[in-house]
Amino acid sequence: MSLKIPSPPSRAVLEAFIARHQYLLQLERKAEEEQTRLLNSNCSPRLLEQRGLALGGLGVSNISVGLGGKNLIELHRPSAYHVNPQLPPHTFRNGDPVRIEAHVASNATLNGTKAKGKKKDDDEGAVEGVVYRVGQEKVIVAVDGSKEVDLPERLRLLKLANSVTFDRMDKTLLHLRRLIIPEDGAPSPHAQNFPLINSLLSIQTPMWCKVVPPNLKDEKELQWYDDKLNDSQKEAIRFCLTAENVACVHGPPGTGKTHTLIELIFQLLSRPASLTTALPPRILITTPSNLALDNLLLRLHFLSQLSPYNTVLPPGSILRLGHPTRVHRDLVKETLDYRAANGEEGELLKDIGGELQGHLGDLGKKRGERGAVKGKERGKKWEEVRELRKEYRQREGKVVTTVLGRAQVVLATCHSAGSRQLNNMLFDVCIVDEATQAVEAVCWVPILKSKKLILAGDPQQLPPTIMSKDDKNAEAGGTGGLQSGVENLKITRGGLQPPCTLETTLFERLESLYGDGIKRVLQVQYRMNEHIASFPSETLYDSALISDPSVSSRTLLDLPSITERDSDEAKDALEHTVVFFDTSGCEFFERTEGDGEGGGNKTSIGEGSKSNENEAVVVAKWARKLVELGVPASEVGIVTPYQAQVSLISSMLHDEYPEMTIGSVDGLQGQEREAIILSLVRSNPTGEVGFLGEYRRLNVAMTRAKRQLCVVGDSSTVGKGSKYLKKWMDWLEAEADVRWAGDEA
Ligand SMILES: Nc1ncnc2c1ncn2[C@@H]1O[C@H](COP(=O)(O)OP(=O)(O)OP(=O)(O)O)[C@@H](O)[C@H]1O
């Protein structure tokens, strides 16, 4: 595990490195804008809803004021339009840019004649904003407070292209460029975090000290908070504690990556930030997604209430930036929004916030409703709202600075680490969890605010989602000079390379720059029965994944909730750890959703999303069987790569088992269930496999199961997709309990 020492890059290579990133991001931005434009103009509202890109028939249930004086518009499914108040499956996530507009009749296309007549009215009532929170029954959208909100009664929520993220990444790259490639004649910039920045670009070599620094009590021996940590986890923590600039933790599925990071955070907080201070470090924890961040926050919050953890992280010292989460009611108190509004400092804001809320309440009333504001009065009232908001924002700025100043650990998504609240702050350590799911540019947002960096992830699981798939073949020229310098550049082998594609993450780039010496790998997995773990271990982790004895032989039959474990039926269904319903020869053909109405367009969630009805029937039957035999419905997860199949299976099972997770692979990374049913969907004579060709996505899907993995798919189609898929199909045929699917549908 020695560290490779690459030669430092020339100025031209550094320039090309930044320019290439800028160019690839521009391609990606264009692809995203084009896709949204195509989708919104070509697809019927019904198809957009099926693809999870729109939610129709919504009404406003409340309008309130949020941080930044924003209008928070709460949308729900009114009983006048829906029997079930729960939102159908969708892809809306916190932070997504959206548009709220009038609901158009569902059979109209937005660019069709019928819709054209309505479009003007739609635009008049529409507002754009950002998803603030998503619940089972509600979506809250934050809308710029300076705009008047006058929405029609029946609404639709529509996803838009996200330009804010791109703007922030562009700004970050420009900042980085100014730091490492100063303009001719400009003074040499100075930054306290140059050693980190330089080691990420191989301008200098990363360093480690020989021993773990003593803790705040001056104890030289490492005292573990969790004495159950295994040797590879302990080694990874030591490695990170001794790192002076950067270190990576590679965590294959179920190996306790997050568990290890939590111990690392407490170990960091137990020792001085540097040799020159007796104070503990301030830590910035980031992830690419809100979901992963909430997972970390939940664990930190829980431990911070227990001894001895609370000695280094007392209540009130964790702060979550960005949108308050939906995970746990207790967690809301850790958000900046809550503290700013409710702490001692928040008192400053309360009176003015109340007044604002009152005005907005009146303005939100519909015509004819008691207290509704009419005519000229509305204009006057909005003017007052604008003034109040100005005052609110000024007071709020002061409150935010005080609250942030007290936080020892700040959590933010990589993107929101660039928000103005963190301007001019420098953290001692930045941790990026799920770093292999983030494009490199977004990681630089928190990096530029930190002195030391810990990256955790698994390059064999989901990569960042990239739409401009042809970026690898991106041609030189015609790009406004963005690529200049790359073509004739002399690049030292093994040194810093301008990226070929945005899919190459910072984690992987550091691995190829410095070799295995830059990381430590966690080796013991605590999730899967060893039979389930054996295929991923063999094919993707050099057979090095060890199954902990506590999980290696467990089956569904051992679950305490199984009542008749001796019955033949229970044994037949529950004692097998890998089940394969091979649909080969059953003629269970796939279907492309929305054929004839824009369904052929490639989308991020659907490449003309596919479904397979017969397969869905087999899946539903197996799921019902497991639950009837005593497996809790909440412990059965159904995973499929296609959104259309998610919708189809949901329509069969959701009402019966609302607690059962039915989702796409992307939403399940980091999660686990006792039983996972995997529907592969693809079945065609030409062997096209689409999303299944991405082995990392498949790896995530097959490593979510603890006791049983059931695969439903067509081996003859899937086996043609790639060498990896062929190997998997052969393994399933040889190792799984193979069943004939023809009898099931
Ligand atoms: N040393 C340990 N001893 C016992 N259980 C452990 C240990 N480390 C982790 N676990 C358990 O293993 C499970 C997986 O841990 P965790 O969620 O941290 O894994 P992960 O690597 O982040 O997972 P993912 O595959 O989603 O990336 C959890 O239930 C955790 O409690």
Side-chain angles (χ1 to χ4, degrees):
M1 281 186 294
S2 62
L3 198 75
K4 281 199 299 192
I5 314 281
S7 42
S10 63
R11 182 185 166 105
V13 169
L14 285 173
E15 271 179 4
F17 177 83
I18 303 262
R20 180 74 188 167
H21 268 288
Q22 288 170 322
Y23 167 70
L24 292 174
L25 283 174
Q26 198 183 76
L27 279 188
E28 185 63 13
R29 184 197 285 257
K30 277 198 189 135
E32 205 172 304
E33 282 168 2
E34 180 61 10
Q35 188 196 28
T36 313
R37 196 188 61 75
L38 264 177
L39 267 171
N40 291 348
S41 59
N42 284 358
C43 292
S44 70
R46 188 179 56 81
L47 192 57
L48 288 176
E49 280 172 38
Q50 269 177 7
R51 290 180 176 191
L53 296 170
L55 285 168
L58 302 179
V60 176
S61 47
N62 189 26
I63 301 184
S64 57
V65 188
L67 201 67
K70 291 213 163 45
N71 288 319
L72 298 182
I73 304 179
E74 187 178 286
L75 301 169
H76 71 140
R77 283 162 55 99
S79 53
Y81 316 133
H82 306 279
V83 186
N84 186 349
Q86 286 220 345
L87 298 170
H90 61 79
T91 62
F92 290 89
R93 301 286 172 264
N94 295 348
D96 283 348
V98 288
R99 176 181 157 94
I100 310 173
E101 60 180 30
H103 186 115
V104 195
S106 66
N107 59 351
T109 56
L110 287 179
N111 63 347
T113 354
K114 201 167 168 187
K116 263 185 188 152
K118 279 209 100 230
K119 191 112 177 61
K120 193 163 174 291
D121 293 339
D122 295 346
D123 283 345
E124 273 166 18
V127 285
E128 290 184 5
V130 171
V131 174
Y132 182 74
R133 199 185 304 183
V134 189
Q136 300 272 5
E137 298 184 0
K138 285 180 178 143
V139 183
I140 303 180
V141 178
V143 173
D144 184 354
S146 62
K147 288 197 189 113
E148 198 166 321
V149 183
D150 204 358
L151 291 166
E153 238 166 88
R154 195 170 180 201
L155 301 165
R156 176 194 332 283
L157 190 66
L158 193 68
K159 226 169 163 174
L160 299 177
N162 195 346
S163 67
V164 189
T165 324
F166 288 105
D167 294 346
R168 194 161 277 164
M169 288 191 282
D170 283 344
K171 220 171 112 189
T172 301
L173 287 174
L174 280 177
H175 186 175
L176 176 63
R177 193 179 194 289
R178 272 197 302 274
L179 288 173
I180 56 168
I181 320 166
E183 297 289 325
D184 282 343
S188 250
H190 172 75
Q192 277 191 62
N193 56 349
F194 261 141
L196 169 61
I197 296 171
N198 288 345
S199 32
L200 297 181
L201 298 168
S202 68
I203 299 169
Q204 70 182 67
T205 310
M207 310 269 279
W208 278 261
C209 46
K210 286 207 169 69
V211 289
V212 174
N215 66 12
L216 286 162
K217 294 184 213 150
D218 209 24
E219 292 166 338
K220 299 212 166 34
E221 274 294 301
L222 231 167
Q223 310 291 328
W224 300 106
Y225 284 85
D226 177 355
D227 53 15
K228 289 206 298 292
L229 293 167
N230 66 52
D231 288 347
S232 64
Q233 292 172 327
K234 287 181 179 169
E235 169 56 17
I237 294 167
R238 272 196 205 94
F239 183 65
C240 295
L241 290 173
T242 49
E244 291 184 8
N245 321 107
V246 56
C248 300
V249 178
H250 183 165
T255 52
K257 179 169 54 60
T258 316
H259 204 81
T260 308
L261 287 184
I262 296 286
E263 173 80 20
L264 172 65
I265 292 164
F266 285 101
Q267 291 295 346
L268 284 164
L269 290 169
S270 306
R271 25 193 55 78
S274 71
L275 291 174
T276 55
T277 174
L279 295 173
R282 291 195 77 206
I283 306 178
L284 175 61
I285 301 175
T286 61
T287 60
S289 73
N290 279 294
L291 199 74
L293 195 64
D294 291 342
N295 180 22
L296 272 161
L297 177 58
L298 199 65
R299 299 196 200 190
L300 274 180
H301 170 82
F302 172 73
L303 291 174
S304 71
Q305 303 181 23
L306 307 177
S307 170
Y309 298 95
N310 56 5
T311 53
V312 287
L313 198 62
S317 46
I318 312 173
L319 192 71
R320 164 77 151 95
L321 228 71
H323 312 293
T325 69
R326 63 199 136 111
V327 190
H328 199 290
R329 214 178 284 154
D330 290 354
L331 290 185
V332 174
K333 295 194 176 160
E334 310 288 17
T335 61
L336 180 58
D337 292 43
Y338 182 90
R339 296 257 179 85
N342 294 283
E344 295 156 34
E345 304 83 8
E347 288 301 320
L348 268 171
L349 291 173
K350 264 200 177 137
D351 51 343
I352 204 162
E355 211 175 321
L356 249 175
Q357 188 99 22
H359 280 36
L360 285 171
D362 293 344
L363 285 161
K365 287 182 181 147
K366 295 282 159 225
R367 247 164 264 150
E369 214 176 312
R370 250 184 89 184
V373 191
K374 286 180 263 170
K376 273 192 182 159
E377 276 299 301
R378 281 188 82 76
K380 238 170 96 187
K381 202 111 190 160
W382 274 114
E383 194 45 49
E384 280 171 39
V385 166
R386 268 189 281 275
E387 282 305 310
L388 281 171
R389 237 187 262 277
K390 216 160 102 193
E391 171 74 20
Y392 188 92
R393 270 199 290 266
Q394 276 169 2
R395 290 193 192 183
E396 188 187 77
K398 291 183 195 144
V399 173
V400 165
T401 312
T402 319
V403 173
L404 264 169
R406 284 208 201 112
Q408 195 70 40
V409 173
V410 174
L411 291 100
T413 58
C414 297
H415 166 72
S416 58
S419 62
R420 67 189 151 78
Q421 289 119 345
L422 292 189
N423 273 356
N424 305 320
M425 281 203 184
L426 189 63
F427 290 84
D428 299 294
V429 185
C430 168
I431 296 176
V432 185
D433 192 10
E434 304 294 2
T436 43
Q437 274 192 75
V439 292
E440 173 160 352
V442 85
C443 292
W444 279 98
V445 177
I447 290 170
L448 290 184
K449 298 183 180 306
S450 315
K451 293 193 225 166
K452 166 171 163 174
L453 176 68
I454 308 294
L455 296 175
D458 178 10
Q460 305 289 31
Q461 296 189 52
L462 281 178
T465 312
I466 306 298
M467 284 180 195
S468 47
K469 289 292 177 206
D470 55 351
D471 64 1
K472 284 179 207 151
N473 312 318
E475 303 242 338
T479 57
L482 279 176
Q483 278 190 299
S484 55
V486 182
E487 304 79 14
N488 306 317
L489 206 63
K490 275 211 181 101
I491 296 172
T492 333
R493 264 184 69 199
L496 182 73
Q497 312 266 344
C500 285
T501 154
L502 288 181
E503 267 194 18
T504 310
T505 60
L506 175 60
F507 190 112
E508 291 163 284
R509 188 172 68 68
L510 292 176
E511 262 184 319
S512 59
L513 201 56
Y514 293 115
D516 282 351
I518 195 75
K519 70 172 187 182
R520 290 294 179 267
V521 187
L522 307 180
Q523 283 166 336
V524 184
Q525 69 86 14
Y526 297 87
R527 175 176 298 149
M528 297 161 271
N529 172 297
E530 66 184 344
H531 190 205
I532 303 175
S534 62
F535 182 77
S537 175
E538 243 170 63
T539 50
L540 301 178
Y541 302 103
D542 297 329
S543 300
L545 204 54
I546 301 161
S547 299
D548 189 73
S550 61
V551 301
S552 59
S553 56
R554 60 186 183 180
T555 68
L556 287 178
L557 209 53
D558 312 326
L559 281 176
S561 55
I562 308 300
T563 43
E564 298 191 22
R565 71 189 67 236
D566 291 328
S567 73
D568 287 346
E569 208 192 349
K571 280 189 188 150
D572 179 59
L574 307 179
E575 73 181 354
H576 302 283
T577 45
V578 183
V579 176
F580 182 31
F581 283 100
D582 190 353
T583 70
S584 171
C586 298
E587 306 201 333
F588 286 3
F589 293 122
E590 70 195 39
R591 200 175 94 92
T592 300
E593 285 300 290
D595 274 339
E597 55 167 347
N601 293 321
K602 296 208 173 213
T603 77
S604 64
I605 59 160
E607 27 162 283
S609 198
K610 310 274 182 219
S611 63
N612 190 320
E613 202 157 344
N614 288 316
E615 222 180 89
V617 172
V618 178
V619 168
K621 212 166 161 184
W622 192 252
R624 279 193 192 103
K625 179 175 260 185
L626 295 184
V627 178
E628 279 159 15
L629 289 169
V631 181
S634 58
E635 280 301 334
V636 178
I638 300 177
V639 187
T640 175
Y642 291 93
Q643 192 62 33
Q645 186 77 344
V646 172
S647 302
L648 183 61
I649 299 174
S650 297
S651 70
M652 294 175 176
L653 291 172
H654 181 74
D655 289 349
E656 222 172 315
Y657 306 117
E659 63 282 41
M660 192 178 280
T661 307
I662 305 164
S664 63
V665 185
D666 302 55
L668 262 138
Q669 177 144 349
Q671 296 196 40
E672 53 188 23
R673 295 289 182 274
E674 298 291 357
I676 290 285
I677 309 174
L678 182 51
S679 169
L680 303 181
V681 177
R682 302 311 300 258
S683 177
N684 53 65
T686 44
E688 280 171 50
V689 293
F691 280 158
L692 295 175
E694 171 49 91
Y695 74 94
R696 292 167 290 192
R697 179 170 272 112
L698 211 54
N699 183 37
V700 174
M702 67 174 88
T703 55
R704 302 303 99 195
K706 295 191 204 171
R707 295 167 194 258
Q708 185 181 83
L709 171 68
C710 170
V711 181
V712 186
D714 179 347
S715 63
S716 54
T717 299
V718 177
K720 284 185 198 136
S722 66
K723 272 192 191 153
Y724 177 76
L725 285 169
K726 172 82 177 87
K727 207 168 177 181
W728 187 41
M729 289 296 117
D730 290 348
W731 183 85
L732 283 173
E733 297 291 350
E735 294 288 328
D737 171 48
V738 184
R739 297 179 184 225
W740 166 243
D743 295 337
E744 304 288 323

